[in-house]
Amino acid sequence: MRQGILSNIIRRFFLFLIIFTSHTNLLAADAQESILIEDGRYYFSFTPKILGDRIQNDYSLGLFYTEARRFGGEIRYRNTNSFGLNEIWDIDDSMLAIRQESFEVHLMPVRYQFLRGDMLSMRAGAGAYYNYSKSDNRGYFLYHPAGPDSYNAYHYNFSGHSVGPMLDADVNFNWRFLYASFSAGLAPVYYLDQTQEWYLSPLMSPASYSVSSGEMSGPYYYLNLDVAFDFFGIFSLFGTMFFEYNRLCYRSIDTGITSGWTEIDTKDEFITLALEISILIKMGRSGIMPQIGYGRTFNEQGGGDSYFIIGLKNFGFRF
């Protein structure tokens, strides 16, 4: 239900900005060209990625509300779905099917560009951070101490909603054939509402245990560096370095064969570094550029994945 509501909100926000872009500022001399396009008052990015057993879609859309390009807003949305097979507790005779999905939103309705020059511009904004994550793990394992054929059913699921305030800022440099942008965002603290359920049968009695809790977590932050080199106004070589950190604090389930089900306070840290290199192909005055490239992630949990990039971008800047 919450996923449907959030998806509707995202779609309506995008629809509003598209309608606003199309109908409020038309050039008198050419009804087909929008002032927003001519003045670079909007920017967007759509980047689907296939990373091993994970599919990730990154969207962003920004708009300057005024012709002076001082006030604006932005929304960034990430959707990830993954499915994989693994072992349970490193037991050889075991099988675990893992299905995960997440939705992450950075909603920045207020952004102010307090420095705007021909070569350098700086912006800062405030808004909200939201994340929905769900994981469903099912499988079986052989528990040798209970006998040669003591197979146990295993089921663990986790769902959580995170929401909190967010601040972000970016610095943009534009000179002839070179464009560079450094941006950072921070949610210093956020509220995590989560539910877990663990099922082990016939090993445990009772077979299942569940826990729900609401805790303050944080911080979440990201750092992003983009660099583009223009070649003859035909295409650009584009590179990205992205770093992300998130700390979760929550009440978790633990188990001991003799002690039974227990609850413990858990702190998880998630660190990801991504490097990307791609080609942006120029598509005339609109500023829309198809993107083709390659990326690699590095993280402590899965070790990292390589992936191809096929997307669209419009930075709202001119070389």
Side-chain angles (χ1 to χ4, degrees):
M1 179 65 70
R2 294 184 183 179
Q3 291 177 241
I5 294 173
L6 179 60
S7 298
N8 288 333
I9 293 174
I10 300 299
R11 284 195 294 266
R12 290 176 182 177
F13 186 87
F14 274 77
L15 181 61
F16 166 77
L17 289 181
I18 292 171
I19 294 174
F20 185 86
T21 299
S22 303
H23 296 283
T24 58
N25 294 288
L26 295 178
L27 286 175
D30 187 354
Q32 300 301 316
E33 290 291 342
S34 169
I35 288 178
L36 297 181
I37 294 176
E38 290 295 300
D39 290 350
R41 281 176 52 195
Y42 82 103
Y43 51 94
F44 72 87
S45 175
F46 166 54
T47 313
K49 305 172 185 178
I50 301 177
L51 304 90
D53 58 1
R54 186 167 80 255
I55 298 175
Q56 178 177 309
N57 295 301
D58 293 335
Y59 307 83
S60 68
L61 181 60
L63 174 68
F64 290 104
Y65 303 139
T66 61
E67 292 185 23
R69 288 194 287 172
R70 289 291 186 182
F71 289 96
E74 182 176 345
I75 183 170
R76 296 185 292 270
Y77 171 61
R78 175 184 296 171
N79 166 232
T80 305
N81 289 275
S82 64
F83 178 82
L85 298 175
N86 208 336
E87 295 179 340
I88 300 175
W89 301 321
D90 295 325
I91 299 174
D92 292 335
D93 198 352
S94 67
M95 178 67 72
L96 180 64
I98 304 172
R99 183 182 297 275
Q100 297 176 320
E101 60 179 327
S102 67
F103 301 87
E104 183 177 306
V105 179
H106 299 174
L107 179 61
M108 314 298 294
V110 179
R111 304 191 82 208
Y112 179 67
Q113 187 164 239
F114 54 88
L115 174 62
R116 181 192 172 196
D118 293 336
M119 295 176 56
L120 188 67
S121 65
M122 301 178 68
R123 291 179 296 178
Y129 165 79
Y130 175 81
N131 182 288
Y132 166 76
S133 299
K134 181 180 180 180
S135 177
D136 185 66
N137 307 335
R138 297 173 183 264
Y140 68 88
F141 65 96
L142 177 63
Y143 183 60
H144 293 283
D149 297 316
S150 179
Y151 282 93
N152 292 266
Y154 177 100
H155 181 201
Y156 174 81
N157 64 53
F158 172 94
S159 63
H161 299 265
S162 303
V163 61
M166 188 168 188
L167 303 172
D168 83 340
D170 61 67
V171 180
N172 302 279
F173 177 79
N174 183 20
W175 179 72
R176 292 186 180 178
F177 57 86
L178 173 64
Y179 168 79
S181 174
F182 176 75
S183 58
L186 169 66
V189 64
Y190 57 85
Y191 180 77
L192 171 62
D193 177 33
Q194 61 90 28
T195 301
Q196 299 172 69
E197 183 178 17
W198 205 347
Y199 175 86
L200 296 175
S201 178
L203 184 62
M204 299 293 290
S205 181
S208 64
Y209 190 85
S210 62
V211 61
S212 298
S213 66
E215 305 285 343
M216 298 304 294
S217 292
Y220 163 82
Y221 66 86
Y222 75 88
L223 305 172
N224 188 85
L225 176 64
D226 293 334
V227 179
F229 296 91
D230 181 58
F231 289 89
F232 313 111
I234 301 173
F235 69 91
S236 297
L237 182 64
F238 181 69
T240 294
M241 181 173 66
F242 179 77
F243 177 83
E244 187 176 47
Y245 173 86
N246 194 12
R247 184 172 65 187
L248 302 180
C249 304
Y250 58 95
R251 194 74 173 163
S252 182
I253 303 173
D254 197 6
T255 179
I257 303 305
T258 57
S259 60
W261 301 107
T262 59
E263 297 182 16
I264 59 173
D265 291 324
T266 301
K267 288 186 178 181
D268 287 336
E269 293 183 312
F270 297 92
I271 300 174
T272 299
L273 173 66
L275 302 175
E276 298 178 358
I277 186 73
S278 58
I279 297 294
L280 301 176
I281 303 171
K282 298 298 185 68
M283 297 289 288
R285 299 169 65 188
S286 68
I288 297 175
M289 297 176 286
Q291 179 184 18
I292 303 173
Y294 170 84
R296 172 76 182 176
T297 62
F298 306 87
N299 60 70
E300 296 179 357
Q301 288 73 35
D305 291 302
S306 298
Y307 54 94
F308 289 102
I309 302 168
I310 300 178
L312 291 172
K313 288 187 182 295
N314 183 322
F315 290 102
F317 71 90
R318 301 189 191 94
F319 283 109

